[in-house]
Amino acid sequence: PTPPPQPSPPPQPKPRQVPKPPPVPIRQGNPVLVLADMNGTLVHRSKTRLNCKAEPACEANKTFYYARPGAKDLIQFLLHAARTTEEGRRRVVFAFYTSMREANARPIADYLTGGRRVDIYERKFNKADPTGENDYDTMRDLPSVWNSVKPGSARGFTAENTVVIDDTLRKMRELPHNVLVVPPFEEDAVKKGTDDIMDYVKVYL
């Protein structure tokens, strides 16, 4: 007898098209990526107005932001270095790197840049610190910064050409050779008004 016809195989689903990420930008002139922490490095945040001569640079989200002396000059220096054509000086790509939410960081960032829009790598570009004293302690997650499409200033950079300015070595202990550690800018330093660390950072860079 003739064998019964075999059923047709079920149709195979078409492979899902995965969108390709944007290409990594080609960086001309061998630039260096400089990422600056904000609270404790460039600014001091306070829930109350401090009783001192220093005036807050801005007030936002019920928080007073005191800029570190020289911080604005340092940021302007780095922004100028983004366009440098000086022989022997590497071009700089600059962005802020913070554990704050961008909405909280944007007002003081705009003050430091003089209103120029600069990328902020906010809290989601950090990761939990398993050994932190507090449950909110974070560490830097630089691979997520280098691979980010939006914001994209740091896309394509690596540990070979990245410098992070931070007041906390613990956050950068996975890449200790990529951090320039500065003393923390705290309330006492705001009140004294004599901090000059940013001048040394500028000279070093």
Side-chain angles (χ1 to χ4, degrees):
T2 304
Q6 296 295 318
S8 300
Q12 294 296 317
K14 291 183 178 179
R16 203 169 121 206
Q17 294 285 336
V18 179
K20 292 183 179 179
V24 174
I26 298 173
R27 306 282 184 182
Q28 300 293 335
N30 191 26
V32 60
L33 173 67
V34 177
L35 300 171
D37 172 50
M38 302 187 78
N39 189 40
T41 298
L42 298 175
V43 301
H44 172 73
R45 290 187 299 170
S46 176
K47 289 297 183 185
T48 59
R49 191 183 186 98
L50 301 180
N51 184 20
C52 61
K53 290 183 179 180
E55 290 291 324
C58 69
E59 180 185 354
N61 305 309
K62 300 180 180 179
T63 302
F64 295 93
Y65 293 82
Y66 291 85
R68 192 171 204 156
K72 192 169 186 177
D73 287 343
L74 174 65
I75 301 309
Q76 295 302 316
F77 166 76
L78 292 171
L79 293 176
H80 173 74
R83 303 183 299 274
T84 187
T85 56
E86 296 177 36
E87 186 176 352
R89 183 178 291 278
R90 291 175 69 177
R91 189 168 65 83
V92 169
V93 174
F94 173 75
F96 294 104
Y97 195 8
T98 179
S99 55
M100 291 190 281
R101 304 290 183 191
E102 181 172 357
N104 296 331
R106 181 55 69 184
I108 187 62
D110 288 346
Y111 166 82
L112 292 169
T113 63
R116 180 175 169 182
R117 194 79 172 179
V118 170
D119 281 346
I120 297 175
Y121 289 87
E122 57 159 351
R123 188 169 184 83
K124 69 180 180 180
F125 293 98
N126 297 264
K127 58 186 178 181
D129 185 347
T131 63
E133 293 182 6
N134 307 293
D135 58 5
Y136 54 79
D137 284 340
T138 59
M139 296 175 61
R140 301 307 189 191
D141 185 8
L142 278 167
S144 72
V145 171
W146 295 323
N147 293 323
S148 172
V149 174
K150 189 176 180 181
S153 294
R155 183 167 170 75
F157 282 91
T158 68
E160 299 295 322
N161 49 16
T162 298
V163 177
V164 179
I165 307 170
D166 206 314
D167 67 307
T168 311
L169 178 59
R170 171 186 59 78
K171 292 182 178 181
M172 280 290 295
R173 65 180 183 271
E174 291 183 339
L175 289 165
H177 300 297
N178 289 84
V179 62
L180 175 59
V181 181
V182 298
F185 184 56
E186 298 175 335
E187 183 175 330
D188 286 347
V190 176
K191 291 180 176 179
K192 287 180 181 177
T194 57
D195 188 287
D196 60 356
I197 293 299
M198 295 290 97
D199 294 336
Y200 290 95
V201 173
K202 185 177 175 181
V203 170
Y204 179 83
L205 293 174

